Amino acid sequence: MRKQNIYITALSLLSASVALGQNWTETKSGNWTKVANKGGQTLGYATASGVKLLTDKGFAFKDLNKNGKLDKYEDWRLSADVRAKDLASQMSIDQIAGLMLYSKHQPIPAAAGGPFAGTYNGKIFAQSGAKVSDLSDQQREFLTKDNVRHVLITSVQSPEAAAEWNNNAQALAEGLGLGIPINSSSDPRHGTRADAEFNAGAGGAISMWPGSLGLAATFNPELVKRFGQIAATEYRSLGIATALSPQIDIATDPRWNRVSGTFGEDPQLATDMARAYVDGFQTSTGANEITGGWGYHSVNAMVKHWPGGGSGEGGRDAHYGYGKYAVYPGKNFQTHFLPFLNGAFKLSGKTGMASAVMPYYTISYGQDKKYGENVGNSYNKYIIHDLLRTKYKYDGVVCTDWLITADETAVDIFLTGKSWGVEKLSVAQRHYKILMNGVDQFGGNNESGPVIEAYKMGVKDHGETFMRTRFEQSAVRLLKNVFRVGLFENPYLDPQVSQKSVGTAEFMKEGYQTQLESVVMLKNKAKALPLTKGKTVYIPKRFTPAGRNFLGMDIPEKLEYPVSLNIVKKYFNVTDNPAEADYALVFMRSPDSGGGYSIPDAKAGGTGYVPVSLQYGDYTAQGTRDPSIAGGDPLEKFTNRTYNGKTAKTINTTDLGMVTETVAMMKGKPVIVALQVSNPTVVKEFEAQSNAILAHFGVQDQALMDILTGAHEPSALLPMQFPADMKTVENQAEDVPRDMTSYRDSEGHVYDFGFGLNWKGVIQDARTAKYKQGVLSLK
């Protein structure tokens, strides 16, 4: 009888909902409730957030501000623009200031020590009893006290843990104030693990792809677009809705330590790759589309770094005070705009343009023709307000690079402040100057205090109405990127679904295939490749000297095999005796001489400036630029940063020794080199001694084995020039693409942009016909 009464009650409720025209149903999922609107958007809200449902014309909506009425920003039937303006008008200055912050790097769980440390109830994670998915004390503080809503996620233990952390963070944010969800972001996370064995994937491990240079080496924008689609799907399964990528700087100086993150040095190729990448990340289709190409599979792309960061003087990098200046001896400033203006800001897909852009740290020296300022790009009114915002009409989010408002403590520290050119301003004044240029957001800042101080400065200078309008302008830009990807309706994830959606068999397969298509064959003397499987190979161990990484953490000395022998043994027999080997396989990395600054030299009374070398042997600069074009830092007593007469010592010089020693021991038997390329390399030191050379940009060992043994024919092309020697490197202009004399090898082949071999010889196809023409310029 009791069961019958329950059934009758259920029927009565169903009849009532039909009579009232209710078009939605609710289901419980963990700690949140899912609401399906028939013919409308799906909602999700946390049980503990206090959010209730509102109804209008049979549809359900979330009462995020808990005022009992349907506000425009809560109405998913309205446009993102209308909703963002309504919400911005309701926000306090403190709330908008928090929206303007982009958190420091957040590993999940928080690290026990170092720059990314965190605690759980005052204890490190291992001692706290906390779950991996729990919020750290610091995360709770910046979400509640400082109103931060943009969080940069670094490492995660698993997709399931990432999804659970996302749900916990979203539930906390949903219960605060106006219920604004978190917009989590990530730097690129689809790189390979060299020693991983390819498998079809069972969910859990994110799909593995070559790095940006490897994608560029395919010369195939459609393939890069497909990567973007897959990466976006995996990002959303992790709770990530913004990609701090792609890096579309044109790598016009081959010495720059961020060349590996670019699409190479050619403006046309970088432009096409930028457009394809952003289209892939941002575009949702079919049932996943909400409107205008945006939707549940969309990830906002933050392209970087306006107006281009690839022309640091001497190849030095602006993460450091010693590399703060970008120079333009070739008067080629505007060419660096091309991947932005014709690529990321002029998409083929419905979303139209990249939703966000990040200026670089650099001082674009001498390029401010209106105000004459030599300050970091985010501080430069001409570069942001006059060019980006006004001339080129970019109205997406502009976010500074990380830590640019903090104080500089040393010229050679990665995690120091980078307030280049405005070091004498206070922290609040730096925020104010940036805001008045038209920048919306501050990277790596968890504290809202300086933003609020900047607001007060603006009120004093321009009045409350003006500054309120300025703050709301940025709030609208920032909020639109959250509305368009559906986070206001449902920011919650099913952890089990996330676990199965990341690293699927299809995604793994496509990533691995792209790795194969990213490897360039530079040399194949007398058709040394492909090798016969089952033969015996000798592989020398690689020595890594003790040192420090870019964060200043110690790296121990190592002597180890540079590849996974378990993988190699599936293709060859392996011996430690060269006399028994049929072939030798030498795995080396491009030369690393550091960033162009040497502390010991500075202590000895010199300036500290040394060359950045692209060769393995010691390199002494002779007849190079003196004085430097740019220079000056509050921590230096000089402005001439010349390194003429100074010597650079390569950290991994023993990589060259691996080749020369192996050649001697093999006594004429084939020596095959696999070169992992971070920068263009002076290969003349070892090329003539090798029988074949493969250049790759970060692939699994198995991919190299498949190419070495002929399971896949090499098809990639160089996305940049390989220099003939260091003299041509010194003679090239930092801002000009493809202006070096390229290396000619012992077979007569020139290692120029667009060069590559397959089994038949030099590749000449539609790609080379299109991209090997002259260099585009916006001048």
Side-chain angles (χ1 to χ4, degrees):
M1 187 66 184
R2 185 169 178 273
K3 286 184 178 179
Q4 186 178 1
N5 287 339
I6 293 171
Y7 179 66
I8 291 169
T9 303
L11 281 176
S12 299
L13 289 171
L14 181 61
S15 299
S17 69
V18 171
L20 291 170
Q22 179 176 307
N23 295 318
W24 52 273
T25 56
E26 285 187 274
T27 53
K28 186 84 171 172
S29 179
N31 294 325
W32 61 282
T33 299
K34 184 177 181 180
V35 180
N37 279 298
K38 186 177 180 181
Q41 289 197 38
T42 297
L43 313 180
Y45 66 94
T47 307
S49 70
V51 165
K52 307 293 184 188
L53 292 182
L54 300 168
T55 57
D56 183 66
K57 297 180 181 178
F59 293 112
F61 305 85
K62 291 160 67 174
D63 186 10
L64 290 166
N65 61 6
K66 306 174 185 66
N67 66 354
K69 67 175 186 177
L70 182 61
D71 293 271
K72 287 182 180 179
Y73 88 89
E74 297 164 338
D75 190 342
W76 44 259
R77 296 167 298 189
L78 300 176
S79 71
D81 188 60
V82 169
R83 298 176 73 188
K85 287 176 180 175
D86 177 62
L87 178 52
S89 72
Q90 297 189 39
M91 295 176 72
S92 68
I93 292 303
D94 285 9
Q95 288 170 328
I96 295 177
L99 196 65
M100 288 176 166
L101 303 176
Y102 225 121
S103 83
K104 297 174 182 176
H105 298 66
Q106 301 296 313
I108 301 172
F116 311 129
T119 56
Y120 298 80
N121 292 320
K123 298 179 180 179
I124 63 171
F125 177 74
Q127 299 172 1
S128 67
K131 296 178 182 177
V132 171
S133 56
D134 286 348
L135 272 63
S136 70
D137 300 333
Q138 293 73 21
Q139 290 162 356
R140 288 185 177 279
E141 181 176 9
F142 68 61
L143 290 173
T144 54
K145 178 180 169 233
D146 293 287
N147 298 297
V148 171
R149 290 297 178 270
H150 292 79
V151 181
L152 172 54
I153 305 296
T154 55
S155 59
V156 295
Q157 207 168 81
S158 68
E160 189 174 17
E164 289 173 352
W165 182 92
N166 169 79
N167 291 352
N168 289 336
Q170 296 291 7
L172 175 61
E174 189 175 67
L176 298 171
L178 296 162
I180 299 171
I182 290 164
N183 180 359
S184 292
S185 71
S186 173
D187 283 308
R189 57 193 314 121
H190 279 82
T192 59
R193 223 184 73 227
D195 63 346
E197 188 169 359
F198 170 72
N199 60 68
I206 203 161
S207 59
M208 290 186 281
W209 299 70
S212 294
L213 271 183
L215 291 173
T218 69
F219 279 58
N220 185 348
E222 283 302 311
L223 194 157
V224 173
K225 180 180 177 182
R226 178 59 182 155
F227 161 72
Q229 292 168 341
I230 289 173
T233 300
E234 294 183 313
Y235 272 30
R236 291 304 298 267
S237 295
L238 298 172
I240 295 167
T242 293
L244 300 188
S245 59
Q247 185 190 334
I248 61 176
D249 311 274
I250 305 171
T252 48
D253 192 285
R255 298 164 292 188
W256 188 33
N257 67 14
R258 300 196 70 177
V259 167
S260 62
T262 73
F263 292 126
E265 69 172 309
D266 182 70
Q268 182 65 64
L269 181 63
T271 297
D272 291 349
M273 292 300 187
R275 186 188 310 109
Y277 188 110
V278 177
D279 266 332
F281 264 88
Q282 291 192 169
T283 306
S284 290
T285 58
N288 292 309
E289 183 180 1
I290 298 172
T291 185
W294 291 102
Y296 306 113
H297 275 193
S298 297
V299 171
N300 295 286
M302 185 182 290
V303 294
K304 51 194 188 183
H305 306 86
W306 175 263
S311 61
E313 184 163 22
R316 298 184 293 269
D317 179 60
H319 276 93
Y320 306 89
Y322 62 68
K324 65 169 68 172
Y325 296 101
V327 295
Y328 301 88
K331 298 180 171 50
N332 218 43
F333 182 51
Q334 292 186 336
T335 297
H336 290 257
F337 304 172
L338 284 168
F340 298 91
L341 303 184
N342 294 347
F345 298 169
K346 194 178 289 184
L347 302 178
S348 301
K350 290 183 183 179
T351 63
M353 70 176 187
S355 67
V357 62
M358 181 189 294
Y360 203 37
Y361 296 114
T362 45
I363 295 171
S364 296
Y365 191 77
Q367 300 311 302
D368 181 350
K369 307 301 183 185
K370 188 170 182 180
Y371 310 103
E373 282 197 300
N374 281 311
V375 292
N377 290 321
S378 287
Y379 291 103
N380 193 293
K381 184 177 181 181
Y382 175 72
I383 286 171
I384 303 299
H385 175 270
D386 291 39
L387 290 180
L388 182 61
R389 290 297 194 196
T390 305
K391 182 175 181 179
Y392 298 121
K393 298 179 171 51
Y394 181 76
D395 194 41
V397 167
V398 178
C399 176
T400 75
D401 214 328
W402 264 231
L403 292 178
I404 76 162
T405 57
D407 291 328
E408 180 187 18
T409 57
V411 296
D412 64 324
I413 299 295
F414 184 84
L415 288 174
T416 190
K418 308 169 201 309
S419 49
W420 308 147
V422 295
E423 293 91 347
K424 293 181 180 179
L425 297 182
S426 70
V427 172
Q429 286 171 331
R430 293 169 193 161
H431 283 77
Y432 182 43
K433 183 174 177 63
I434 288 169
L435 283 169
M436 299 311 288
N437 290 341
V439 175
D440 305 296
Q441 200 165 29
F442 303 93
N445 292 16
N446 290 11
E447 298 81 28
S448 60
V451 185
I452 296 168
E453 285 300 308
Y455 177 81
K456 293 175 181 177
M457 291 175 183
V459 170
K460 184 177 179 181
D461 290 347
H462 303 284
E464 185 113 30
T465 301
F466 176 92
M467 277 311 284
R468 172 78 204 187
T469 300
R470 172 67 193 90
F471 263 50
E472 285 192 30
Q473 180 186 43
S474 284
V476 169
R477 290 173 181 147
L478 290 158
L479 291 168
K480 280 165 67 174
N481 288 354
V482 188
F483 279 114
R484 290 189 296 205
V485 297
L487 289 176
F488 272 88
E489 276 53 70
N490 183 21
Y492 298 99
L493 300 167
D494 183 325
Q496 283 70 45
V497 172
S498 291
Q499 192 74 22
K500 294 175 183 176
S501 302
V502 176
T504 66
E506 177 191 359
F507 296 168
M508 287 288 195
K509 183 177 179 181
E510 292 192 54
Y512 186 74
Q513 181 64 29
T514 303
Q515 291 181 51
L516 293 171
E517 294 178 29
S518 73
V519 177
V520 183
M521 184 162 68
L522 294 177
K523 183 179 181 180
N524 194 19
K525 182 179 180 181
K527 298 195 181 298
L529 299 180
L531 304 177
T532 303
K533 287 184 75 170
K535 294 284 190 175
T536 301
V537 297
Y538 167 71
I539 300 172
K541 290 182 178 179
R542 182 167 57 210
F543 174 72
T544 303
R548 297 190 172 214
N549 66 12
F550 67 97
L551 293 174
M553 300 167 73
D554 289 334
I555 299 172
E557 177 183 300
K558 290 186 294 186
L559 179 64
E560 60 189 358
Y561 285 107
V563 287
S564 167
L565 292 190
N566 288 334
I567 289 175
V568 176
K569 286 176 181 177
K570 295 186 177 183
Y571 295 80
F572 303 104
N573 298 313
V574 179
T575 180
D576 285 330
N577 183 0
E580 298 174 355
D582 298 300
Y583 325 112
L585 305 180
V586 181
F587 297 86
M588 56 197 303
R589 295 184 179 134
S590 46
D592 176 9
S593 69
Y597 187 85
S598 171
I599 285 293
D601 186 63
K603 288 181 178 177
T607 65
Y609 289 88
V610 294
V612 179
S613 177
L614 300 180
Q615 67 182 40
Y616 295 97
D618 289 358
Y619 166 66
T620 301
Q622 298 292 345
T624 52
R625 186 183 293 148
D626 188 6
S628 60
I629 293 174
D633 187 279
L635 300 178
E636 295 177 340
K637 297 179 180 179
F638 55 87
T639 58
N640 185 3
R641 295 181 162 189
T642 184
Y643 49 80
N644 190 31
K646 300 289 188 65
T647 298
K649 291 183 176 293
T650 300
I651 297 165
N652 61 327
T653 186
T654 51
D655 277 22
L656 177 61
M658 284 197 301
V659 179
T660 54
E661 291 166 13
T662 299
V663 167
M665 290 187 291
M666 288 297 289
K667 301 185 184 305
K669 290 182 288 186
V671 175
I672 315 299
V673 171
L675 173 68
Q676 182 170 343
V677 179
S678 298
N679 292 83
T681 299
V682 177
V683 296
K684 72 173 183 178
E685 294 170 297
F686 66 86
E687 175 274 317
Q689 302 176 78
S690 61
N691 297 82
I693 302 173
L694 296 180
H696 70 98
F697 309 93
V699 298
Q700 291 168 257
D701 295 338
Q702 187 172 347
L704 292 176
M705 295 300 116
D706 279 344
I707 290 178
L708 287 169
T709 56
H712 183 85
E713 182 172 16
S715 60
L717 307 168
L718 281 179
M720 71 287 212
Q721 297 176 311
F722 270 28
D725 48 36
M726 280 304 298
K727 182 178 180 180
T728 191
V729 173
E730 297 287 6
N731 289 339
Q732 58 90 40
E734 284 94 336
D735 59 320
V736 178
R738 295 170 56 180
D739 63 338
M740 292 190 294
T741 301
S742 298
Y743 180 73
R744 182 181 294 274
D745 74 6
S746 55
E747 302 295 290
H749 296 135
V750 179
Y751 295 0
D752 203 349
F753 169 81
F755 169 75
L757 300 171
N758 57 23
W759 302 142
K760 296 177 182 176
V762 177
I763 298 171
Q764 294 181 332
D765 56 17
R767 298 172 301 163
T768 58
K770 178 178 182 179
Y771 289 107
K772 288 191 72 173
Q773 301 173 37
V775 178
L776 285 181
S777 175
L778 198 68
K779 289 193 293 186

